[in-house]
C-alpha cells in the first residue's frame, strides 16, 4: 500500500547520504550580513540559462539549477509532523517581523548560501526555487527578499524561474501576498489538508475552515496565476463523505495543481503515540486505497493530469521544482534538516538548530565541502532512478537505463514484472508510448535483444500500480542488488 510523506522534499532516498561531521564549536555570534534594502527581481538574473548537458554527461553530474530553502517556522507543531521546525507559539504574523528567532535563522541561512562552493564552471542560473517548511509564509517578505537576493548574488536566478512558497491559511493577507509576488514568488502551495473543522482540530492544525476559504479568496483577488492545494487522506476518523467533500471543494476552488498525501504515522509524533496504522480510528488499508482511487478519479474527471504519485496538475502546471527530484537531477538545499543532491550524493544538514548553526560555521571555515567528486555506487544510483521514475506517469526511460546500467539488469527487470504486467499493475510502452499488449510482451521476453530494442518505457498504472508502488519498487531492488 502506498504511503506518501507529507512533504516529499525532505524524504531520504537510497543513494549514499553524507551526514557532515559537526565539530564541537561554540555557537557563534550571528553576523549581520544582510543588505540594507531589498534588491529588484532582475538583479543578477539571466535571460539565457546555460545548457551544459551533453549526451555524455549523466544527469546527476550536471550543475544544480534548483534550490530548496527550508524555513522551519510554524505557529505550532501538527500532530503528524516530525520535520525539523521551530514552533513560534502565539507569535502573530504581524509581530513575526521582529522575532529574533526568525532574524537569527535567516542570517544563518544566508551565511550558509554564501559559504557554499559550487565546483561547477560555468554554472547555470537557478531555474526553480522552493521555499518549504515549516510555514514559510510566517517569514516577513523583507527577509524573504534578502534570501532571494543572496541566491541571485551567489548563483543567479532566471527571469522566468519558478519561485514557489508553501503558505498556510491564516498566515498571510493580501498585502503580504502582493509583497511576496513583487519579490518574484510566482507559485503558491496552500496547505489546506482538509475542509472539515473537526479534522483540522484533530490534526493540530493552527487554522480552521474559515481561514481556508479566506486564503483561497486572497489568492484569487491577488491574481496568483499558479497555485497548488495540499490535501491529506487517511486521517483519524476521516470518512468517505468527508474526503468526497474535500475533493469537491478543491475542484471548485480551481487551483492549477493539487497534491494529495496519504497520512504517514511517524513514531516521534503525537499521532505516533496515539495510533497504529490500519487500526481504528485510522482507515484500514482498503479504505485508504479507496481514498486514493477516489482522488485519482475525481481530479482526473476535473482535467487534472496525475503526473506523479501524489501530484495532479492542469496542463503545463506541473511543479517544475518537484519534477527535478523525480527525474533525478541535482539540486541545492539550504537550511535546517534539508538535504541537497550534488554529483550523485545526498548531503544532509543537522535537524537541531544548534547543530545546524555549528554546521554553517564549519562550512565557512572550510571544514565541510559539498559537491566534490565522489565515487557513486551504481547499484544505489540504479535503485534511486527506478524508485523516482516509478513515482511519475512518464515512468522509467528504459533505453537510458540500459545504457547506464547494462542490458542484463534491465532485461531481468522486465522479466520480474511480467506477472504484474498481466495483472495490470505495470505497463510497458514502446518509444512512441504505445502500450505493449500482453501477447506482444510474451513474445518479447523470449528474445532479450528484441526486448531491449522495442521497450521504451516502464511505468506503473494509475491508480492500481501506484497503490502497489512500494512492493513493485522492492522487486526492482531485488534485481539490482540481489
Amino acid at each position: 500500500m502506498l504511503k506518501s510523506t507529507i512533504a516529499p522534499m525532505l524524504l531520504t532516498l537510497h543513494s549514499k547520504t553524507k551526514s557532515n561531521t559537526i565539530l564541537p564549536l561554540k555557537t557563534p555570534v550571528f553576523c549581520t550580513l544582510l543588505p540594507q534594502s531589498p534588491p529588484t527581481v532582475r538583479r543578477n538574473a539571466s535571460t539565457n540559462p546555460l545548457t551544459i548537458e551533453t549526451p555524455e554527461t549523466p544527469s546527476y553530474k550536471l550543475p544544480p539549477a534548483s534550490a530548496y530553502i527550508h524555513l522551519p517556522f510554524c505557529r505550532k507543531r501538527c500532530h503528524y509532523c516530525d520535520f525539523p521546525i521551530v514552533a513560534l507559539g502565539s507569535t502573530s504574523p504581524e509581530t513575526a517581523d521582529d522575532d529574533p528567532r526568525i532574524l537569527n535563522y535567516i542570517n544563518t541561512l544566508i551565511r550558509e548560501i554564501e559559504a557554499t562552493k559550487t565546483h561547477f564552471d560555468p554554472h547555470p542560473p537557478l531555474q526553480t526555487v522552493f521555499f518549504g517548511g515549516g510555514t514559510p509564509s510566517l517569514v516577513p517578505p523583507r527577509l524573504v527578499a534578502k534570501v532571494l537576493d543572496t541566491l541571485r548574488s551567489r548563483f543567479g536566478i532566471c527571469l522566468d524561474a519558478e519561485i514557489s512558497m508553501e503558505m498556510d491559511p491564516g498566515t498571510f493577507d493580501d498585502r503580504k501576498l502582493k509583497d511576496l509576488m513583487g519579490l518574484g514568488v510566482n507559485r503558491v502551495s496552500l496547505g489546506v489538508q482538509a475542509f472539515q473543522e473537526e479534522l483540522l482540530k484533530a490534526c493540530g492544525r493552527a487554522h480552521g475552515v474559515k481561514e481556508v476559504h479566506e486564503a483561497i479568496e486572497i489568492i484569487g483577488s491577488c491574481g496568483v496565476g499558479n497555485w497548488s492545494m495540499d490535501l491529506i487522506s487517511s486521517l483519524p476518523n476521516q470518512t468517505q463523505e468527508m474526503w468526497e467533500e474535500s475533493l469537491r471543494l478543491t475542484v471548485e476552488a480551481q487551483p492549477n495543481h493539487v497534491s494529495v498525501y496519504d497520512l504517514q504515522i511517524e513514531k516521534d509524533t503525537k499521532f505516533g503515540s496515539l495510533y497504529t496504522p490500519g487500526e481504528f480510528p485510522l482507515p484500514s488499508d482498503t479504505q485508504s486505497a479507496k481514498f486514493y482511487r477516489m482522488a485519482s478519479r475525481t481530479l482526473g474527471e476535473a482535467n487534472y493530469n496525475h503526473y506523479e504519485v501524489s501530484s495532479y496538475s492542469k496542463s503545463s502546471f506541473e511543479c517544475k521544482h518537484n519534477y527535478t527530484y523525480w527525474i533525478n537531477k541535482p539540486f541545492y538545499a539550504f537550511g535546517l534538516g534539508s538535504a541537497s543532491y550534488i554529483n550523485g550524493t545526498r548531503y544532509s544538514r543537522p535537524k537541531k538548530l544548534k547543530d545546524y548553526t555549528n554546521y554553517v560555521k564549519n562550512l565557512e571555515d572550510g571544514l565541510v565541502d559539498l559537491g566534490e567528486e565522489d565515487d557513486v555506487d551504481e547499484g544505489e544510483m540504479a535503485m534511486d532512478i527506478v524508485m523516482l521514475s516509478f513515482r511519475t506517469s512518464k515512468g522509467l526511460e528504459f533505453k537510458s537505463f540500459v545504457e547506464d546500467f547494462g542490458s542484463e539488469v534491465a532485461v531481468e527487470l522486465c522479466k520480474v514484472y511480467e506477472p504484474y504486467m498481466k495483472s495490470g499493475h505495470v505497463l510497458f510502452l514502446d518509444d512512441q508510448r504505445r502500450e505493449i499488449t500482453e501477447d506482444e510482451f510474451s513474445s518479447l521476453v523470449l528474445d532479450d535483444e528484441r526486448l531491449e530494442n522495442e521497450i521504451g518505457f516502464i511505468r506503473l498504472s494509475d491508480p492500481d500500480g501506484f497503490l502497489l508502488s512500494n512492493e513493485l519498487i522492492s522487486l526492482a531492488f531485488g534485481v539490482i542488488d540481489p
Side-chain angles (χ1 to χ4, degrees):
M1 172 67 195
L2 166 76
K3 285 291 179 182
S4 234
T5 54
I6 302 304
M9 280 342 337
L10 293 178
L11 52 80
T12 300
L13 300 176
H14 288 263
S15 67
K16 179 173 53 181
T17 300
K18 283 194 174 182
S19 295
N20 297 287
T21 303
I22 306 301
L23 300 184
L25 300 174
K26 293 183 178 179
T27 303
V29 176
F30 287 91
C31 301
T32 304
L33 299 174
L34 307 179
Q36 294 302 307
S37 58
T40 63
V41 172
R42 294 176 179 267
R43 182 186 295 182
N44 293 315
S46 169
T47 56
N48 297 302
L50 297 175
T51 302
I52 303 182
E53 185 169 5
T54 68
E56 295 78 26
T57 306
S59 62
Y60 71 86
K61 282 190 171 292
L62 295 173
S66 296
Y68 173 81
I69 311 295
H70 190 62
L71 301 180
F73 305 102
C74 288
R75 287 179 286 184
K76 63 178 184 174
R77 182 179 288 277
C78 297
H79 298 339
Y80 51 73
C81 175
D82 72 338
F83 295 146
I85 69 162
V86 177
L88 298 177
S90 59
T91 299
S92 68
E94 291 74 24
T95 60
D97 195 59
D98 297 317
D99 192 313
R101 293 167 293 182
I102 297 179
L103 292 170
N104 288 343
Y105 178 82
I106 294 297
N107 282 344
T108 307
L109 178 68
I110 286 174
R111 288 167 50 204
E112 183 192 359
I113 296 170
E114 291 181 329
T116 298
K117 298 177 182 178
T118 64
H119 294 282
F120 296 101
D121 186 23
H123 194 293
L126 298 175
Q127 297 172 12
T128 72
V129 177
F130 195 103
F131 289 97
T135 308
S137 48
L138 286 172
V139 176
R142 68 182 183 85
L143 298 182
V144 174
K146 291 173 179 178
V147 175
L148 284 170
D149 187 37
T150 306
L151 290 172
R152 289 190 184 94
S153 176
R154 190 73 188 85
F155 306 108
I157 300 179
C158 297
L159 284 176
D160 61 348
E162 176 192 85
I163 302 179
S164 304
M165 176 171 284
E166 293 180 345
M167 307 181 77
D168 277 0
T171 64
F172 63 96
D173 55 19
D174 56 352
R175 179 179 176 181
K176 175 181 275 191
L177 181 52
K178 287 178 180 177
D179 286 346
L180 291 168
M181 292 170 68
L183 298 174
V185 174
N186 51 26
R187 185 177 183 277
V188 169
S189 181
L190 187 66
V192 170
Q193 318 312 358
F195 279 88
Q196 294 77 35
E197 202 74 48
E198 60 269 41
L199 292 185
L200 293 173
K201 288 180 179 177
C203 289
R205 297 291 290 178
H207 68 263
V209 174
K210 179 175 179 287
E211 287 80 14
V212 168
H213 292 295
E214 288 174 348
I216 293 170
E217 185 176 341
I218 291 169
I219 288 171
S221 66
C222 289
V224 178
N226 186 1
W227 70 285
S228 177
M229 186 181 293
D230 291 355
L231 298 176
I232 304 178
S233 63
S234 301
L235 293 169
N237 294 304
Q238 188 175 38
T239 65
Q240 181 172 315
E241 291 72 25
M242 289 175 175
W243 186 232
E244 285 177 337
E245 181 183 44
S246 287
L247 291 169
R248 176 179 59 80
L249 291 173
T250 296
V251 170
E252 289 178 3
Q254 299 183 333
N256 312 99
H257 185 284
V258 182
S259 294
V260 176
Y261 302 119
D262 195 58
L263 178 67
Q264 179 80 41
I265 300 294
E266 304 291 351
K267 64 177 182 178
D268 294 324
T269 65
K270 185 170 182 178
F271 275 2
S273 66
L274 292 175
Y275 306 126
T276 300
E279 295 184 5
F280 185 82
L282 295 178
S284 66
D285 284 350
T286 299
Q287 290 172 309
S288 293
K290 286 182 179 179
F291 288 160
Y292 189 80
R293 290 189 175 96
M294 190 186 301
S296 181
R297 182 181 66 253
T298 302
L299 294 171
E301 290 172 352
N303 296 317
Y304 288 90
N305 173 37
H306 194 180
Y307 73 97
E308 187 271 332
V309 67
S310 300
S311 307
Y312 303 77
S313 76
K314 297 288 189 178
S315 179
S316 76
F317 282 97
E318 296 85 357
C319 179
K320 295 177 183 177
H321 181 86
N322 284 351
Y323 212 70
T324 296
Y325 308 134
W326 312 141
I327 62 175
N328 206 44
K329 284 199 171 182
F331 55 90
Y332 292 113
F334 302 102
L336 187 71
S338 64
S340 56
Y341 179 53
I342 305 170
N343 271 334
T345 302
R346 302 189 190 277
Y347 300 87
S348 298
R349 284 122 189 97
K351 295 184 177 181
K352 294 184 178 179
L353 197 55
K354 182 177 180 180
D355 291 341
Y356 169 65
T357 303
N358 288 342
Y359 161 82
V360 172
K361 180 64 167 63
N362 287 344
L363 187 67
E364 291 173 323
D365 291 343
L367 301 176
V368 177
D369 193 9
L370 309 182
E372 71 274 19
E373 286 295 327
D374 241 329
D375 293 329
V376 176
D377 186 303
E378 283 200 358
E380 291 180 346
M381 179 65 67
M383 288 189 286
D384 264 10
I385 289 173
V386 169
M387 179 173 63
L388 293 167
S389 298
F390 277 4
R391 289 187 65 100
T392 69
S393 60
K394 182 179 181 180
L396 178 70
E397 293 189 34
F398 186 69
K399 289 182 173 59
S400 295
F401 190 80
V402 170
E403 184 177 335
D404 291 341
F405 304 107
S407 59
E408 184 178 349
V409 67
V411 167
E412 188 59 31
L413 199 62
C414 293
K415 292 180 178 179
V416 80
Y417 284 134
E418 183 175 8
Y420 298 91
M421 187 265 191
K422 293 179 179 179
S423 66
H425 292 91
V426 176
L427 306 178
F428 290 87
L429 313 174
D430 64 16
D431 290 332
Q432 283 70 50
R433 299 195 65 80
R434 179 189 67 86
E435 187 176 339
I436 294 171
T437 68
E438 185 176 332
D439 288 343
E440 288 174 322
F441 187 79
S442 296
S443 174
L444 290 178
V445 294
L446 300 176
D447 186 334
D448 290 357
E449 187 174 347
R450 284 188 62 206
L451 198 67
E452 284 184 51
N453 291 333
E454 297 187 31
I455 290 178
F457 301 88
I458 308 175
R459 60 153 297 184
L460 306 187
S461 63
D462 176 15
D464 290 339
F466 282 153
L467 280 166
L468 205 63
S469 61
N470 289 347
E471 291 86 344
L472 296 172
I473 290 168
S474 293
L475 284 174
F477 289 178
V479 169
I480 295 165
D481 187 20

